[in-house]
Amino acid sequence: MNTVQLVIEFLGTFAFAISGIRWAASKNFDWFGGYVVGLATAIGGGTIRDVMLGVTPFWMTNSIYLICTAVALLTVIVFKRLIVRFTNTWFLFDTLGLALFTVAGLQKTLYAGFPFWVAIIMGCITGAAGGVIRDVLINEVPLIFRKEIYAMACILGGVAYYLCLLCGLNVEITAIVGFSVVVIVRLAAVRMHISLPHLHDDENI
Amino acid sequence: MNTVQLVIEFLGTFAFAISGIRWAASKNFDWFGGYVVGLATAIGGGTIRDVMLGVTPFWMTNSIYLICTAVALLTVIVFKRLIVRFTNTWFLFDTLGLALFTVAGLQKTLYAGFPFWVAIIMGCITGAAGGVIRDVLINEVPLIFRKEIYAMACILGGVAYYLCLLCGLNVEITAIVGFSVVVIVRLAAVRMHISLPHLHDDENI
Amino acid sequence: MNTVQLVIEFLGTFAFAISGIRWAASKNFDWFGGYVVGLATAIGGGTIRDVMLGVTPFWMTNSIYLICTAVALLTVIVFKRLIVRFTNTWFLFDTLGLALFTVAGLQKTLYAGFPFWVAIIMGCITGAAGGVIRDVLINEVPLIFRKEIYAMACILGGVAYYLCLLCGLNVEITAIVGFSVVVIVRLAAVRMHISLPHLHDDENI
């Protein structure tokens, strides 16, 4: 399990960083700007979670996240064309990363002794808040507030995780179920163009 | 006192959430986006305060804030037209919430052992920072930097609170005075169209 | 050393605050908005650092930073014309502040027991993150992601600091070398129009 988890974490971090760097490129940021946006996308959610939980941000204990983002930056600079062609691969990595980050957020929050509804929110923040920080840094309206099922997949995964624990399933299986629900919901939503209803203005302000 | 405080806190949280959700609606966010913006408006200020004070964010110990925001979201979705008609009511709730959050911020900061000038700033952050986060999330220039007396009411309330304590008044009366000053300053400023002077450009950059 | 350090810290804080207030003025913020943006520019980086290190934000232990920002606001309001004329002076103060904040960030992080690569990042955050917060608050794309060598100067200063410590130089000399590298890199980059390569779009999204 542990090796699989590490591989997924690396792929997820990589995909998140690639996403941030590509958005930075669309705004013609320089290399440093690309690196910072990529890093913020990859580690932003987990950092907010850790600050709220009152523990040291996870990336300060292991330099792999910084290295992974540097590799992502190099990849974008050197293999521009190739990256565009592999859009489906990035989407898959991104989805795996989203699911793994969500489960990691759930586990860490429960381990710190918080109740379940806090853990579900922290799972969602771990998975989805990095993308919000990315969008704030490139001065765009956050994508996840307007498009697709993204953060909702994290929440449903968190609920599934909760139900498994309630049913007395062991930790490993619970993690796999939570992970799978996030992946399946996200893939199904994109494939079937499912999205949440939108709020409407109606001179609402 | 305690029941009154709880009622005001609920009304204030509700009014703050409504404000965030209506702004999200003006940007055509989906339901999830509306919920997040509403929640950030309602709990953002107190969360920043708690992180800086080094304590667990208040909303992680009581699910009422999440529930209150969910009720606000439902209200906006179901009673769109009604909400527009009750603008004055929201304004009143919002002002009460602002005052209560300010006093809560003052009390919590002093209780944690910080000096008074820190408490005044934390009172202001508790009351006004949620609105700044809201505006950052919907990608607008923060309203409170440009319009009306809003955060200044928190600061004046904080100063009044300080003076009361200096004069040896008891905690209850001090809280009521601080609360009242915020409400009165805010209402008076809006009614009499008082605002702070603006900075001007003059090729200033 | 200590007096020199205090003077530089005051000048740096002052220059950072002036920069934030002038940007706020370009957006016609009111005095309160100007003060908040100035303050966020001056103390934002160090605050993020301290929250991540798990210590009380530095400005909560000494009111000098708030006073310094108030003086900066008064200066902008009263001496508008003069400020424009002294652009080179602000640039110099800003550079000195950047260097001092970077070294302070390095020292505080190492003192807290974190490894060197964390310290280098924290030095960079201490020096450069205030400007990013400023740009988010005025709703602009962060300047340091697009223009000039700014944050890179902090990173090179951090590396120089590391090498000095590795070579066994004493703390004072190490600090002076780190400080000087930041100043020299920044001045040289601006004078010789050196900037990092930019990322390009190429239908990259």
Side-chain angles (χ1 to χ4, degrees):
Chain A
M1 179 68 190
N2 239 0
T3 319
V4 175
Q5 211 169 321
L6 277 177
V7 170
I8 295 179
E9 187 165 15
F10 189 87
L11 290 181
T13 303
F14 193 71
F16 274 47
I18 291 273
S19 139
I21 296 164
R22 287 174 76 187
W23 277 103
S26 79
K27 296 266 174 172
N28 283 106
F29 282 16
D30 63 24
W31 289 3
F32 174 79
Y35 186 78
V36 171
V37 176
L39 189 63
T41 309
I43 70 171
T47 302
I48 292 181
R49 174 201 64 208
D50 289 342
V51 165
M52 286 187 178
L53 294 182
V55 301
T56 298
F58 69 104
W59 59 268
M60 288 164 67
T61 59
N62 189 337
S63 57
I64 185 70
Y65 305 98
L66 300 182
I67 294 167
C68 187
T69 304
V71 174
L73 179 63
L74 269 176
T75 309
V76 171
I77 292 170
V78 179
F79 302 108
K80 270 190 273 200
R81 301 258 158 91
L82 236 66
I83 279 180
V84 181
R85 214 176 299 159
F86 283 101
T87 299
N88 285 333
T89 311
W90 303 132
F91 173 69
L92 186 67
F93 287 179
D94 187 274
T95 301
L96 294 177
L98 182 72
L100 187 82
F101 291 177
T102 301
V103 172
L106 285 160
Q107 289 174 330
K108 195 162 187 177
T109 309
L110 292 175
Y111 184 79
F114 287 96
F116 226 95
W117 55 272
V118 175
I120 291 176
I121 290 177
M122 289 298 168
C124 183
I125 287 178
T126 311
V132 175
I133 297 177
R134 175 197 67 205
D135 296 342
V136 167
L137 288 179
I138 61 169
N139 202 21
E140 294 283 346
V141 169
L143 203 63
I144 67 164
F145 294 163
R146 309 177 72 178
K147 226 191 95 186
E148 297 176 2
I149 300 292
Y150 192 86
M152 280 309 289
C154 304
I155 289 174
L156 293 176
V159 171
Y161 192 99
Y162 180 44
L163 294 177
C164 288
L165 278 193
L166 270 190
C167 297
L169 296 183
N170 79 34
V171 181
E172 300 258 307
I173 294 177
T174 299
I176 291 169
V177 171
F179 180 91
S180 307
V181 168
V182 178
V183 171
I184 291 166
V185 170
R186 172 102 174 100
L187 293 183
V190 167
R191 171 145 279 216
M192 301 194 274
H193 302 288
I194 301 170
S195 66
L196 287 174
H198 281 242
L199 295 166
H200 294 290
D201 201 355
D202 306 309
E203 68 221 282
N204 230 344
I205 293 295
Chain B
M1 178 68 188
N2 239 0
T3 319
V4 176
Q5 210 170 320
L6 277 176
V7 170
I8 295 180
E9 186 164 16
F10 189 87
L11 291 181
T13 303
F14 193 71
F16 274 47
I18 292 272
S19 139
I21 296 164
R22 288 174 75 187
W23 277 104
S26 78
K27 295 267 174 172
N28 283 107
F29 282 14
D30 63 23
W31 290 3
F32 174 80
Y35 186 78
V36 171
V37 176
L39 189 63
T41 310
I43 70 171
T47 302
I48 292 181
R49 174 201 63 208
D50 289 343
V51 165
M52 286 188 180
L53 294 182
V55 302
T56 298
F58 68 103
W59 60 267
M60 289 164 67
T61 59
N62 189 337
S63 58
I64 184 69
Y65 305 98
L66 300 182
I67 294 167
C68 187
T69 303
V71 175
L73 179 63
L74 270 176
T75 310
V76 171
I77 293 170
V78 180
F79 301 109
K80 268 190 274 199
R81 301 258 158 92
L82 237 65
I83 279 181
V84 181
R85 214 176 300 159
F86 284 102
T87 300
N88 286 332
T89 312
W90 302 132
F91 173 70
L92 187 66
F93 288 0
D94 187 273
T95 302
L96 294 178
L98 182 72
L100 188 82
F101 291 176
T102 302
V103 172
L106 285 161
Q107 289 174 331
K108 196 162 186 179
T109 309
L110 291 175
Y111 184 79
F114 287 96
F116 225 94
W117 55 272
V118 174
I120 291 177
I121 290 177
M122 288 298 169
C124 183
I125 287 177
T126 311
V132 174
I133 297 177
R134 175 197 67 205
D135 296 341
V136 166
L137 288 179
I138 62 170
N139 202 21
E140 294 283 345
V141 169
L143 204 61
I144 65 163
F145 294 162
R146 308 178 71 178
K147 227 191 95 187
E148 296 175 1
I149 299 292
Y150 192 87
M152 279 310 289
C154 305
I155 289 175
L156 293 176
V159 171
Y161 192 99
Y162 180 44
L163 294 178
C164 287
L165 279 194
L166 269 190
C167 296
L169 296 182
N170 80 33
V171 181
E172 300 258 306
I173 294 177
T174 298
I176 291 171
V177 170
F179 180 90
S180 308
V181 168
V182 178
V183 171
I184 291 167
V185 170
R186 172 102 173 100
L187 293 182
V190 168
R191 172 143 280 215
M192 301 194 272
H193 302 289
I194 301 171
S195 66
L196 286 174
H198 281 242
L199 295 166
H200 295 291
D201 201 353
D202 307 310
E203 69 221 279
N204 232 344
I205 293 295
Chain C
M1 179 68 188
N2 240 0
T3 318
V4 176
Q5 211 169 319
L6 278 177
V7 170
I8 295 179
E9 187 165 14
F10 188 89
L11 291 180
T13 304
F14 192 71
F16 274 48
I18 291 272
S19 140
I21 296 164
R22 288 174 76 187
W23 277 103
S26 78
K27 295 267 175 172
N28 284 106
F29 282 15
D30 64 22
W31 289 2
F32 175 79
Y35 186 78
V36 172
V37 176
L39 191 63
T41 310
I43 70 172
T47 302
I48 292 181
R49 174 201 63 207
D50 289 342
V51 164
M52 287 188 178
L53 293 182
V55 301
T56 298
F58 69 103
W59 59 266
M60 288 164 67
T61 59
N62 189 336
S63 57
I64 185 70
Y65 304 99
L66 300 181
I67 294 167
C68 187
T69 304
V71 174
L73 179 63
L74 269 176
T75 309
V76 171
I77 293 171
V78 179
F79 300 108
K80 270 191 273 201
R81 301 258 159 91
L82 236 65
I83 280 180
V84 181
R85 214 176 299 158
F86 283 101
T87 299
N88 286 332
T89 312
W90 303 131
F91 173 69
L92 186 66
F93 287 1
D94 188 274
T95 302
L96 294 177
L98 182 71
L100 187 83
F101 291 177
T102 301
V103 172
L106 286 161
Q107 290 174 330
K108 197 163 186 178
T109 309
L110 291 175
Y111 184 78
F114 287 95
F116 226 94
W117 55 272
V118 174
I120 291 176
I121 290 177
M122 289 299 169
C124 184
I125 287 178
T126 311
V132 174
I133 297 177
R134 175 197 67 205
D135 296 342
V136 167
L137 288 179
I138 62 169
N139 202 22
E140 295 283 345
V141 170
L143 203 61
I144 66 163
F145 294 162
R146 308 178 72 177
K147 227 191 94 186
E148 297 174 1
I149 299 292
Y150 192 87
M152 280 308 289
C154 304
I155 289 175
L156 293 176
V159 171
Y161 192 99
Y162 179 43
L163 294 178
C164 287
L165 279 194
L166 270 190
C167 296
L169 295 183
N170 80 34
V171 181
E172 300 257 306
I173 293 177
T174 299
I176 291 170
V177 170
F179 180 91
S180 307
V181 167
V182 178
V183 171
I184 291 166
V185 169
R186 172 102 174 102
L187 294 182
V190 168
R191 172 145 278 217
M192 301 194 274
H193 302 288
I194 301 171
S195 67
L196 287 174
H198 281 242
L199 295 166
H200 295 291
D201 200 354
D202 308 309
E203 69 221 279
N204 231 344
I205 293 294

